[in-house]
């Protein structure tokens, strides 16, 4: 049983037996980890804060070779993310990001770039346009796991697509009018939405999140995201409903 030290963001926690907590953490060096924190449920309230979702923590764990559940210990808060807890809307956006990471990554699948994306996104949610941060995060994480939608040419016939284009969640990209009738999952996508998505993909994170987006493009990007993830994930994300109920829409 090797002893490892790491840091990461708490994605989820559930009570385990009488006194323990089962924690899911997205770690810097080993990706998603499941940690059993033994005997901690009777800790003081202030110490239990380290197990709250989004919290940035450092920790030690005893790595088990034959199991995905490791024994966690010495967990300390590096950043409690108090700014994310200041408004219900930020909580809903942060919950969505953590659920997305938890869903898209398997345990022990290290991805330092996705870790950094989550770190930047948590940092940026409360000081700009959170809806844009979420859209940029989604696309850049999709690029990391090889699911990035094709945006410059028809995903079916590889022809250049000009004015009129459709989006296919099933094939993962834009579709030309000739191929569109063969795919029942498609819906129209505006040129503005396509160009915005392309800008997100090709720009650095910090530049992409500063792009001013109209309400109509913002709504269209949200619809595309919902349909894309609904098609590719086995079940709808719990936080999506919460997000649509409490998160305000961008007004720029
Ligand atoms: Zn085509």
């Amino acid at each position: 049983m090797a002893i490892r030290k790491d840091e990461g963001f708490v994605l989820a926690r559930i009570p385990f037996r009488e006194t323990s907590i089962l924690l899911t953490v997205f770690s810097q060096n080993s990706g998603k980890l499941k940690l059993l924190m033994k005997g901690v449920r009777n800790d003081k309230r202030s110490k239990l804060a380290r197990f709250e979702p989004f919290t940035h923590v450092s920790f030690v764990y005893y790595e088990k070779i034959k199991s995905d559940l490791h024994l966690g210990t010495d967990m300390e808060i590096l950043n409690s993310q108090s700014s994310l807890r200041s408004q219900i809307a930020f909580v809903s956006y942060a919950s969505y990001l953590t659920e997305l990471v938890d869903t898209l990554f398997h345990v022990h699948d290290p991805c330092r770039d996705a870790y950094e994306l989550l770190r930047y996104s948590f940092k940026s949610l409360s000081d700009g346009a959170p809806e844009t941060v979420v859209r940029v995060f989604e696309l850049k994480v999709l690029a990391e796991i090889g699911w990035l939608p094709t945006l410059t040419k028809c995903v079916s016939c590889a022809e250049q697509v000009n004015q009129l284009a459709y989006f296919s969640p099933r094939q993962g990209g834009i579709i030309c009018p000739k191929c569109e009738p063969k795919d029942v999952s498609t819906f129209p996508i505006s040129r503005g939405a396509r160009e915005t998505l392309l800008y997100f993909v090709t720009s650095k994170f910090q530049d992409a999140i500063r792009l001013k987006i109209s309400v109509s493009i913002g709504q269209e990007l949200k619809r595309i995201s919902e349909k894309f993830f609904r098609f590719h994930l086995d079940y709808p994300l719990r936080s999506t409903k919460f997000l649509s109920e409490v998160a305000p829409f961008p007004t720029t």
Side-chain angles (χ1 to χ4, degrees), residues 154 157 176 179:
C154 174
C157 71
C176 74
C179 298

Side-chain angles (χ1 to χ4, degrees), residues 71-242:
L71 192 60
T73 183
D74 295 342
M75 189 164 278
E76 301 285 344
I77 294 177
L78 297 174
N79 184 343
S80 65
Q81 313 282 23
S82 54
S83 60
L84 287 181
R85 300 180 208 284
S86 64
Q87 286 187 31
I88 188 90
F90 297 149
V91 171
S92 67
Y93 285 116
S95 301
Y96 175 72
L97 296 187
T98 49
E99 192 183 1
L100 198 56
V101 168
D102 200 0
T103 306
L104 294 178
F105 287 89
H106 299 291
V107 287
H108 293 284
D109 180 16
C111 185
R112 182 65 76 97
D113 288 342
Y115 177 84
E116 290 300 322
L117 274 173
L118 189 61
R119 191 167 71 83
Y120 288 142
S121 299
F122 279 161
K123 207 162 162 259
S124 312
L125 275 178
S126 58
D127 49 53
E131 191 86 19
T132 307
V133 171
V134 166
R135 293 288 93 83
V136 173
F137 176 86
E138 287 170 338
L139 269 188
K140 294 203 175 287
V141 159
L142 288 178
E144 290 300 327
I145 62 169
W147 283 17
L148 186 66
T150 302
L151 297 165
T152 51
K153 55 191 177 183
C154 174
V155 69
S156 182
C157 71
E159 286 285 315
Q160 286 294 326
V161 181
N162 297 316
Q163 282 294 342
L164 186 59
Y166 299 84
F167 187 86
S168 164
R170 186 169 70 82
Q171 296 185 71
I174 58 166
I175 290 269
C176 74
K178 262 191 301 180
C179 298
E180 190 271 332
K182 291 178 248 165
D183 186 336
V184 292
S185 75
T186 60
F187 52 89
I189 177 171
S190 72
R191 195 184 182 114
R194 273 164 56 198
E195 285 173 351
T196 305
L197 290 174
L198 263 178
Y199 180 77
F200 287 168
V201 172
T202 53
S203 306
K204 287 183 183 159
F205 180 88
Q206 294 300 349
D207 296 329
I209 62 170
R210 289 199 184 91
L211 184 70
K212 299 279 183 219
I213 297 171
S214 71
V215 171
S216 64
I217 294 287
Q219 285 169 338
E220 187 177 357
L221 296 183
K222 186 174 183 173
R223 271 199 307 276
I224 293 168
S225 155
E226 282 172 1
K227 289 186 176 179
F228 180 85
F229 284 112
R230 187 67 198 90
F231 192 89
H232 287 280
L233 302 179
D234 294 336
Y235 49 87
L237 296 173
R238 290 186 310 276
S239 52
T240 310
K241 191 165 179 288
F242 182 39

